[in-house]
Amino acid sequence: MSETMKKYIDEAEKALLHTYNRYQIVLDKGDGVYLYDLDGKKYLDFVAGIAVFAFGYNCKDYNDALKNQIDKLLHTSNYYYNVPAIEAAKKLKEVSQMDRVFFTNSGAEAVEGALKTARKYAYLKDGKNDHEIIAMNHSFHGRTFGALSVTGNPHYREAFEPMIGNIKFADLNDFDSVLACVNEKTCAIIMETVQGEGGIFPADKEFLAKVRKLCDEKDILLILDEIQCGMGRTGSMFAWQRYGIKPDIMTTAKALGCGVPVGAFLMTEKVGANSLVAGDHGTTYGGNPFACAAINKVLDLFKQDNIIENVNAVAPYLEKRLDELVDKYDFILTRRGVGLMQGLVFNRPVAEVINKALEKGLILINAGAEIIRFVPPLVITKKNVDDMIEILDSCLGSL
Ligand SMILES: *Cc1c(COP(=O)(O)O)cnc(C)c1O
């Protein structure tokens, strides 16, 4: 490592609050599916800023759209209309089949809005303040108090108790465990359609169908968190669109902005007309013209560049090549995932493999201590997959 890079890392550790154990590189620029550190070393990127950079780095169309908006208008507050937000909302409604959009600055904030919407909906029905929400074990919904309260990882919550309260946890794909949590106070069930941070666990089709039916029978709102698995990653615009069901509320973020920090929660007309009203919720920056110029361009590029077609073309190949590694190494137990959201499950911690890969110019990330997660840019090619496998294989071989 150069002296310059080392100096920056030392300075970072003196100035930034240490809430991340960071890899020992300073990233400087990106181009396509490659990142470069300060020393000019090139990395093939299979993380994409954690499922963010759908089009890869330095995408000209996208950059130009942002630059144009910067020169025009960055921010207005939500007390006035702006064209990028109106366009973005229309486009997002179309691809999500939902009816009402609220733009946020992050994923966690979208989850907060979804939870508030569900509580308000229930409150308007019975005037009570004791409603319960069912969430899933191993889930991840963000780090703010509401989102953390429904995050099914006790380790993340422990030091910050008490949480918002009236949350019960069930197991994904175990319908009986959900039923056991339901009572007349239940106002919502929240889950990721494909669990990300918790270890890449897709919801079963049958499970989700049963949860949907239960919600319909009891007028419980189904909230699907599509922050990581949405935006084309699993081969449809939103993961739930492959399940033959529809949520009442959904959240999106990460690849929605492709680098600009944005999120949104969306709902059906029925929920929109019976929940939040003027004065109930707000944000200063959320949905500003700059952020919405990003969303507009992202949604345009998904169509224009046939992003979802590429996911569906490349994902089976990624699965095949990862399965070969499962067969080859007995310390790899299995692969699971959907589309370009895949996990390799090891019988041991994967930190060493990830560090070795980084040395060899491949950026990977874990999802839990023993799972390597693959969430590359959605524009990767089969050749990129081959290059990734070659490096990973060489790291595994030397274990
Ligand atoms: C990343 C993530 C969040 C939180 O999003 P932030 O933008 O980091 O607040 C919430 N839910 C899921 C499923 C995520 O993957």
Side-chain angles (χ1 to χ4, degrees):
M1 183 191 308
S2 69
E3 280 304 312
T4 313
M5 194 145 94
K6 195 176 170 316
K7 190 168 149 273
Y8 274 116
I9 291 174
D10 290 344
E11 284 173 358
E13 291 306 330
K14 287 189 190 115
L16 295 171
L17 189 67
H18 192 101
T19 53
Y20 283 90
N21 290 319
R22 292 182 165 86
Y23 294 99
Q24 296 299 295
I25 55 173
V26 180
L27 291 170
D28 186 40
K29 60 181 183 183
D31 196 33
V33 297
Y34 299 99
L35 282 165
Y36 297 82
D37 70 18
L38 270 184
D39 295 347
K41 180 172 165 180
K42 184 179 179 182
Y43 301 86
L44 175 60
D45 179 25
F46 263 64
V47 176
I50 312 191
V52 166
F53 275 89
F55 314 115
Y57 303 94
N58 199 17
C59 173
K60 188 171 183 315
D61 270 2
Y62 174 79
N63 291 359
D64 287 346
L66 296 188
K67 287 172 194 169
N68 287 339
Q69 190 60 44
I70 285 174
D71 289 338
K72 214 170 168 192
L73 184 63
L74 278 175
H75 180 76
T76 59
S77 100
N78 277 304
Y79 284 103
Y80 314 94
Y81 300 101
N82 74 76
V83 172
I86 297 162
E87 294 293 336
K90 277 196 317 200
K91 288 175 195 170
L92 197 52
K93 273 180 62 173
E94 188 199 320
V95 292
S96 69
Q97 302 153 257
M98 305 300 278
D99 302 311
R100 296 277 167 177
V101 184
F102 185 102
F103 290 116
T104 67
N105 306 286
S106 70
E109 200 190 329
V111 173
E112 297 291 331
L115 298 178
K116 279 180 73 175
T117 303
R119 277 196 175 173
K120 180 77 192 287
Y121 180 89
Y123 174 79
L124 287 178
K125 275 196 303 182
D126 64 14
K128 291 186 179 159
N129 287 107
D130 60 353
H131 298 109
E132 296 179 356
I133 294 170
I134 301 171
M136 299 297 138
N137 290 311
H138 302 292
S139 63
F140 181 83
H141 297 291
R143 302 295 198 149
T144 53
F145 268 108
L148 190 59
S149 299
V150 291
T151 287
N153 181 338
H155 172 74
Y156 286 173
R157 300 194 307 262
E158 195 180 72
F160 309 102
E161 297 282 350
M163 294 288 116
I164 64 167
N166 287 20
I167 309 294
K168 287 178 170 169
F169 286 95
D171 289 320
L172 185 75
N173 297 333
D174 177 352
F175 184 66
D176 289 340
S177 76
V178 176
L179 265 188
C181 293
V182 174
N183 60 37
E184 70 287 348
K185 296 179 187 170
T186 310
C187 71
I189 300 176
I190 182 169
M191 71 181 85
E192 299 153 86
T193 320
V194 182
Q195 289 188 339
E197 306 293 319
I200 317 292
F201 290 101
D204 291 342
K205 203 165 181 179
E206 200 195 340
F207 170 75
L208 210 45
K210 282 184 179 167
V211 170
R212 178 67 271 177
K213 191 158 166 281
L214 171 73
C215 288
D216 287 341
E217 284 165 8
K218 302 205 177 277
D219 199 19
I220 295 169
L221 299 182
L222 175 61
I223 305 172
L224 290 180
D225 182 343
E226 291 263 340
I227 290 169
Q228 188 160 160
C229 63
M231 293 303 292
R233 183 145 298 276
T234 66
S236 54
M237 201 60 192
F238 294 101
W240 61 262
Q241 290 166 332
R242 303 161 70 93
Y243 284 79
I245 58 103
K246 188 177 166 179
D248 301 294
I249 303 174
M250 76 163 238
T251 57
T252 171
K254 290 195 165 87
L256 179 66
C258 281
V260 170
V262 294
F265 61 97
L266 296 94
M267 62 199 76
T268 60
E269 191 61 44
K270 180 181 136 196
V271 177
N274 296 286
S275 58
L276 302 179
V277 295
D280 276 345
H281 197 57
T283 161
T284 299
Y285 271 132
N288 85 8
F290 180 67
C292 288
I295 297 173
N296 272 318
K297 199 64 196 181
V298 166
L299 293 174
D300 288 348
L301 285 171
F302 260 87
K303 273 191 188 157
Q304 183 191 310
D305 294 353
N306 301 316
I307 297 299
I308 290 181
E309 285 77 355
N310 189 61
V311 173
N312 287 316
V314 177
Y317 188 69
L318 174 63
E319 290 183 352
K320 172 175 162 283
R321 298 293 330 255
L322 290 175
D323 285 341
E324 287 167 17
L325 296 180
V326 177
D327 291 341
K328 185 168 170 184
Y329 296 103
D330 56 10
F331 51 80
I332 305 180
L333 304 178
T334 189
R335 171 195 64 78
R336 54 171 184 255
V338 196
L340 293 181
M341 183 173 180
Q342 297 286 337
L344 268 189
V345 185
F346 287 60
N347 68 2
R348 60 183 71 176
V350 294
E352 188 190 342
V353 182
I354 292 176
N355 276 309
K356 269 193 180 148
L358 194 65
E359 267 170 45
K360 292 177 188 247
L362 169 65
I363 293 188
L364 293 173
I365 199 152
N366 61 313
E370 302 191 339
I371 296 162
I372 300 183
R373 169 170 35 165
F374 302 84
V375 284
L378 303 183
V379 293
I380 57 161
T381 61
K382 289 181 185 175
K383 169 75 168 63
N384 296 145
V385 172
D386 286 338
D387 292 347
M388 182 278 289
I389 294 284
E390 192 183 322
I391 301 176
L392 180 56
D393 195 8
S394 76
C395 298
L396 296 171
S398 67
L399 270 192

